Each structure stands twice: as C-alpha cells, then as structure tokens.
C-alpha cells in the first residue's frame, strides 16, 4: 500500500531510507533544515570508508581502566572533556557495561556484521541507479601497524572479523612497501581488506542522491522537525518550524540530534555525540594508492576529490561545545608520519578542517524500529562510527517495516526498546 513517508534528516541514513521508500513506491517528503549531506552532517566529513569489516563495537573488555586516561589527556585519540562529565556519566556507565565481556562484544560484532555485510555491492547499485557511479573508488582498505606484534594486540578484533566472514591479506616489510610505496618506515605490517571501498566526496554523494530523489518525485522541505502530532496512538503529522507535514509514517534519521524526537515518540534513548574531526590537505605531495588506517592514530586517510582527508578522533563533550582545533594539528602530524613525503607543516591555505558528530549509542548498534509511543514513527539513528557502512541495510530494514514486509534482518539487536533493560 502506498503511504506518505516523512524522512527526518538528510544525512546518509535519511537519504538512503528515502530512496528505499521511493523504490517501494511510497510518496516521500524529506525534512532537512540544512543542505542534504551538508557540513552539519556527520555524513559530510567522515573517513568515507564503506567498510564491510567494521564489526568491532567501540566498548571492549577492560575499557573502564582507560577512562582516567581519557580524562587526563584532552588531545588523546579518545578524550572526555571534564566539564561535561556529570552529564555524560550515565551514558559512559552504559558504554563501559556494553563491552564488559567478550561474549557481549561477540554478540555486538555479529549484529554489526549483519548491517554491513553486502554494503559494497549495495552502494554500487545505488550509485549506478542515481548516476553517481564515479563517486565510488574500489581500492580496498589497508590497516597498517608498526609491527606484527602490534597487529596481534588487536587479536580479538581480527578473530571476530575472521569468524564473521571478513578476509584480509597480510603484508610485511618489503611487500608492504611495494604495495604502498610512500608509507613511512614506522609501519612494517599491513592487513589489506579487499572488499571495502570508499566514497570520493560523501557530502556530494548525498547531495547527488537528493537531486536524484527529487527528480523521482520526492519533496525536500527545508525545515527542522520539532515533534509529532498523534491522535489515538496513530501519527497525523510531523511538526516542524515551518509548519506541519501530514503523513502516514515518519522516520527519525536526524543523527546525533535524534534524541528529543525519539523522546517525543515515547523513547528515552542513550544517544551521545562522539565528536570527530577531519582535515583535508589539497595537492598532497604523495597520493596514497589505498585508503589507510594507521593503528596508532586510529584515523582514516582517504583520497577525496578535495584532497587527502584524514578523519578520526573521539571527543566526548556535547553537541554545542566549541571545537578544539588543536586536534586538527594532530591529524596533520599523523599524516606526515604515515607519508613522510608530506610536509610536516603544510601551508595553512592547503588545509581545510571540520568537526562533526557521530550519533552514538553505548552498544555501538543503531536504534532501528518502531517507536514505543506510536507504531507509525520509526527510529533510524545511532550508527556511531559506521553510519556510512551501515546505511544501505538499515534503510532497507526500515523500508520493509514501513511496507509491512518481513525484513531480512532480525530486529531484536537494534530495537529501540532494548535500552529499557539496561
Ligand atoms: C570523523 C568521523 C569519521 C567517520 N568515518 C566513518 C567512515 O569512514 N565510515 C563510516 O561508515 N562511518 C564513519 N563515520 C560515522 C558516520 O559518518 C555516521 O555514522 C553517519 O554519517 C551518520 O549518519 P546520519 O544520517 O545518521 O547522521 P548525519 O549525517 O549527522 O545527518 C543527520 C541530518 O539530520 C539533520 N537534522 C538534525 N536535526 C534535525 C531535525 N530536528 N529535523 C530535521 N533534520 C534534522 C541534520 O541537519 C543532518 O543533515 C565517521 C564519523 C566521523 C565524525
């Protein structure tokens, strides 16, 4: 049955959910206060990796021991700003608990893999359909380590990858050097995941999708959703700062800003912004042959249309705290360490910097499914570090629920109501 679906938010999750609804023949209205895929969205500034091997949840056993370090070093790869600690504490407790045993991590890894397993093929199909095929690069993803011993320290992560069907090729010494000739001497071991790909400009890809969808009949409303009008338990309209949008179904895809909308629909979801940063260096002195992640920086180095992008770092503060641009300098220094041909201090005019918000739940799984207060409102947010990778399967799942079809995916690991038991 054709329905009118309002999709709230036009980051990657909203854009692909809207596309799946259009594919199913629904009428679609996309509600977005800014530009689809614009700089406000996490989907604009991420590492651009479409990684079908990103199965590890962020919280792992023993994490609690590292929390004092996160507080002590404001510029570390994972930092918590002191001032925000009281507000963050309940989320942090749940976060630590989510990874408190290997069994929990194994369970989360399986649920994450189910959301990413076919993502490269799905992106290929979406890009071809929307005339955006040239936005994807199929160069795989290369993880590099100072030594094999450092790689083996992440044994749990790689074991879970193997058990969940992710394969990789190991490269050592000269073999690694031949594979990625510009790599610095501090990296002597690599694990190459062939099945990954990357977007060359995630923001432009989403803008392109939005253009394609409006050609196919979707309506784009420039407005901020503020709540819902419901009668007798059913949805009547989405309220926005530009008036009400009458609709049959609504999907909350507002990324890190989804919390208040979920609350208006009956669910208190523990959702935090894991703030991240990127820099883009234009005209880099070395162009890597592959997207690379150095193990010591945990950041993605990816060639994009605007230049070489370095994206990463986690900072827990709040949605509106000021960026700490010293972090951009750290990203630049990692870039030099990874590729010594790149200047230690490139001219500032060649560097663009950005900060954005990963929409994160404590268990590194999104909140997907009907809201407790109304079956016509669906959650579609909380994809944390892997929203680009998880968006196509999440979107299909949501469209199946909207259309009353049996989704291919088991719903329980992503159910909004799972947080009640925590
Ligand atoms: C530094 C960094 C690196 C990353 N690297 C990767 C990576 O390599 N691979 C990967 O898979 N993931 C990566 N991620 C994570 C990924 O970017 C996010 O998970 C994903 O972009 C989230 O998409 P989203 O659509 O849920 O949210 P967003 O992209 O944030 O979009 C939400 C949209 O909702 C809109 N909105 C907000 N409030 C309202 C409202 N009230 N009404 C209507 N609209 C609203 C916003 O304007 C925005 O456009 C990275 C993230 C960061 C920060």
């Amino acid at each position: 049955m054709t329905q009118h679906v309002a999709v709230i938010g036009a980051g990657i999750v909203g854009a692909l959910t809207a596309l799946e609804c259009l594919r199913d023949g629904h009428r679609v209205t996309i509600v977005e206060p800014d530009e689809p895929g614009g700089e406000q969205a996490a989907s604009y500034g991420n590492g651009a990796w479409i990684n079908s091997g990103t199965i590890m949840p962020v919280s792992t056993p023993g994490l609690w021991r590292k929390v004092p370090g996160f507080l002590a070093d404001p510029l570390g790869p994972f930092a918590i700003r002191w001032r925000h600690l009281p507000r963050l504490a309940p989320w942090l407790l749940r976060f630590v608990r989510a990874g408190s045993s290997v069994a929990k991590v194994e369970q989360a890894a399986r649920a994450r893999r189910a959301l990413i397993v076919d993502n490269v093929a799905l992106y290929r199909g979406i890009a071809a359909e929307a005339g955006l095929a040239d936005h994807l690069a199929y160069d795989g993803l290369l993880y590099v380590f100072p030594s094999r011993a450092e790689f083996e320290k992440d044994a749990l992560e790689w074991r879970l990858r193997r058990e969940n069907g992710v394969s990789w090729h190991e490269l050592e010494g000269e073999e690694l050097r031949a594979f990625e000739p510009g790599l610095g001497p501090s990296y002597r071991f690599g694990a190459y995941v062939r099945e990954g790909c990357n977007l060359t400009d995630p923001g432009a890809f989403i803008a392109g999708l939005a253009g394609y969808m409006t050609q196919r009949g979707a309506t784009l409303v420039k407005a901020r959703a503020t709540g819902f009008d419901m009668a007798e338990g059913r949805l009547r309209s989405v309220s926005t700062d530009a008036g009400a949008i009458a609709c049959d179904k609504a999907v909350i895809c507002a990324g890190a800003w989804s919390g208040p909308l979920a609350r208006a629909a009956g669910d208190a979801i523990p959702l935090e912004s894991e703030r991240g940063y990127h820099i883009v260096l234009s005209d880099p002195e070395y162009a890597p042959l592959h997207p690379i992640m150095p193990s010591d920086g945990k950041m993605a180095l990816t060639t994009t249309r605007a230049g070489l992008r370095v994206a990463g770092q986690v900072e827990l503060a709040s949605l509106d705290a000021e960026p700490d641009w010293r972090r951009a300098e750290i990203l630049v220094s990692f870039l030099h360490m990874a590729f010594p041909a790149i200047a230690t201090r490139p001219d500032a005019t060649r560097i663009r910097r950005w900060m954005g918000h990963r929409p994160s739940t404590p268990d590194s799984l999104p909140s997907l499914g009907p809201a407790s207060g109304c079956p016509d409102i669906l959650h579609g947010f909380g994809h944390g570090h892997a929203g680009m990778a998880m968006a196509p399967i999440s979107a299909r799942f949501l469209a199946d629920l909207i259309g009353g079809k049996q989704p291919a995916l088991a719903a329980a690991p992503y159910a909004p109501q799972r947080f009640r038991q925590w």
Side-chain angles (χ1 to χ4, degrees):
M1 190 183 67
T2 300
Q3 303 183 75
H4 180 198
V5 183
V7 177
I8 301 171
I12 192 68
V13 180
L16 294 189
T17 301
L19 180 64
E20 290 298 336
C21 290
L22 279 176
R23 283 172 162 177
D24 284 356
H26 298 303
R27 186 179 147 209
V28 173
T29 298
I30 303 168
V31 186
E32 166 62 58
D34 290 292
E35 294 302 319
E39 292 200 20
Q40 78 288 348
S43 303
Y44 169 90
N46 53 75
W49 285 30
I50 309 304
N51 187 352
S52 44
T54 177
I55 64 171
M56 200 64 181
V58 184
S59 177
T60 50
L63 182 91
W64 60 270
R65 278 190 233 109
K66 298 183 186 161
V67 171
F70 299 157
L71 284 160
D73 180 4
L75 297 178
F78 193 118
I80 305 168
R81 286 204 200 165
W82 269 107
R83 197 157 60 82
H84 301 274
L85 187 59
R87 193 189 57 77
L88 289 167
W91 187 92
L92 276 170
L93 283 172
R94 288 170 144 177
F95 177 62
V96 169
R97 209 161 52 198
S100 61
S101 71
V102 171
K104 285 183 183 173
V105 171
E106 287 173 339
Q107 207 178 358
R110 279 193 295 276
R112 284 172 66 87
R113 176 68 171 164
L115 281 178
I116 55 180
V117 64
D118 292 329
N119 56 12
V120 175
L122 291 168
Y123 266 99
R124 196 191 289 270
I126 291 162
E129 177 188 331
L132 301 167
D134 59 341
H135 283 250
L136 285 167
Y138 300 94
D139 299 317
L141 307 167
L142 177 62
Y143 294 80
V144 294
F145 303 79
S147 63
R148 180 180 277 278
E150 287 298 318
F151 165 74
E152 285 168 355
K153 283 186 186 163
D154 292 342
L156 173 62
E157 180 170 349
W158 292 95
R159 167 171 78 74
L160 291 177
R161 285 204 172 102
R162 179 173 285 116
E163 287 174 4
N164 283 282
V166 181
S167 59
W168 65 91
H169 178 67
E170 296 178 6
L171 300 142
E172 213 154 357
E174 284 314 305
E175 207 189 344
L176 177 61
R177 209 67 50 221
F179 194 67
E180 188 58 64
L183 198 63
S186 42
Y187 302 104
R188 289 183 290 277
F189 185 85
Y192 178 60
V193 180
R194 182 72 196 92
E195 73 180 36
C197 71
N198 70 278
L199 287 161
T200 53
D201 185 341
F205 180 75
I206 294 166
L209 280 176
Y212 167 70
M213 289 191 284
T214 47
Q215 275 170 27
R216 274 193 63 169
T219 306
L220 187 58
V221 174
K222 207 171 170 67
R224 185 174 301 279
T226 51
F228 305 97
D229 180 24
M230 294 173 264
E232 292 165 18
R234 304 310 301 253
L235 178 65
R236 287 182 5 163
S237 62
V238 173
S239 318
T240 81
D241 57 6
I245 299 169
C247 55
D248 304 303
K249 294 273 174 3
V251 194
I252 307 170
C253 300
W257 297 271
S258 299
L261 293 168
R263 245 188 323 278
D267 293 298
I269 303 295
L271 182 73
E272 263 310 320
S273 161
E274 281 186 74
R275 296 145 55 97
Y277 291 75
H278 88 210
I279 58 121
V280 176
L281 176 69
S282 57
D283 302 319
E285 292 84 347
Y286 176 74
L289 304 180
H290 312 91
I292 291 183
M293 182 164 298
S295 63
D296 40 1
K298 298 270 184 229
M299 52 189 72
L301 279 59
T302 315
T303 297
T304 64
R305 289 183 174 176
L308 184 53
R309 179 182 287 195
V310 190
Q313 304 192 325
V314 174
E315 183 185 55
L316 288 173
S318 73
L319 271 172
D320 42 22
E322 281 299 299
D324 183 345
W325 290 122
R326 292 174 298 172
R327 289 183 167 276
E329 285 156 34
I330 296 173
L331 294 171
V332 175
S333 55
F334 260 97
L335 189 52
H336 171 71
M337 191 155 77
F339 303 117
I342 291 176
T344 331
R345 287 184 178 278
D347 189 280
T349 56
R350 289 170 58 210
I351 293 182
R352 287 203 59 195
R353 47 192 208 175
W354 171 89
M355 190 275 292
H357 301 282
R358 298 179 187 88
S360 296
T361 60
D363 61 2
S364 301
L365 293 171
S367 185
L368 303 174
S372 302
C374 177
D376 304 321
I377 303 171
L378 286 92
H379 291 212
F381 59 87
H383 294 77
H385 289 237
M388 306 307 289
M390 292 174 170
I393 294 180
S394 301
R396 188 60 247 155
F397 175 75
L398 292 167
D400 283 344
L401 293 179
I402 287 167
K405 298 180 198 157
Q406 179 63 43
L409 202 64
Y414 322 103
Q417 293 74 20
R418 72 186 185 277
F419 296 107
R420 287 191 190 151
Q421 296 146 20
W422 287 37

